[in-house]
Amino acid sequence: MTEAKRPDRVLPEAPDQRPLERFWPYADLPEQPTDEELAQLHPELRNVLFGAPALPFSITIVFPKFDGPEYERALTLARASDEYIETHVGGTLRHRARFMPGDRPLRLRELYEAVSGVSDTEVLIDDRPLPFARELWLPLVWFLIR
């Protein structure tokens, strides 16, 4: 007498077909990230993976998407910065505009004035949140404006 097929078993005892002998479709992905992928990395992740780069002094303004007439102007100013990337943090779009203020403090001030009233706007000094970044560091840079 043959054994009854177990009711919880989905597959047959013996296969009906022979599986294909090929690798899954993504086997030929490059092992190293491309330059475009590296450029889109969040700066903190880039520092952890590759170490801190030897960059000159910088001030970064990070701001979320906001409603209002200043948003398009802020985007235009941010895209004109020395380094601009868009990141998603917690499902929220964040714009990061890095300035090397040695010769461009006016553009930094224009962007800051456009987004200073937006909640969740951050000012980072060398990609780190420092105390008094808004109250001390930015006014010191404003002295460079002639």
Side-chain angles (χ1 to χ4, degrees):
M1 187 163 141
T2 62
E3 243 180 74
K5 187 175 177 183
R6 292 187 353 216
D8 61 338
R9 183 164 172 87
V10 176
L11 297 174
E13 293 294 328
D16 297 337
Q17 305 173 10
R18 183 178 180 155
L20 296 175
E21 293 182 21
R22 64 178 169 175
F23 294 106
W24 71 317
Y26 304 108
D28 60 347
L29 287 176
E31 292 185 20
Q32 298 297 321
T34 63
D35 291 337
E36 294 81 24
E37 290 171 330
L38 289 175
Q40 293 300 317
L41 282 179
H42 194 280
E44 292 174 5
L45 178 60
R46 187 182 316 140
N47 288 348
V48 169
L49 292 175
F50 304 111
L55 294 174
F57 175 76
S58 68
I59 296 179
T60 304
I61 296 181
V62 183
F63 61 96
K65 182 176 181 179
F66 61 92
D67 296 327
E70 289 290 312
Y71 182 68
E72 289 302 321
R73 180 172 173 262
L75 273 183
T76 303
L77 292 168
R79 289 181 177 136
S81 66
D82 295 310
E83 180 182 300
Y84 170 76
I85 59 173
E86 294 178 357
T87 59
H88 291 276
V89 177
T92 304
L93 176 65
R94 309 271 301 164
H95 304 279
R96 295 179 65 94
R98 176 185 288 170
F99 292 89
M100 313 303 180
D103 59 343
R104 296 175 198 75
L106 186 58
R107 294 191 306 157
L108 172 63
R109 186 175 74 179
E110 287 175 358
L111 176 61
Y112 178 72
E113 287 173 350
V115 299
S116 62
V118 177
S119 63
D120 295 336
T121 296
E122 298 176 71
V123 177
L124 307 175
I125 308 299
D126 284 338
D127 283 332
R128 294 186 315 249
L130 292 181
F132 304 109
R134 293 175 188 238
E135 298 85 3
L136 176 65
W137 289 94
L138 288 178
L140 287 174
V141 172
W142 300 165
F143 281 118
L144 298 173
I145 298 174
R146 297 175 192 203

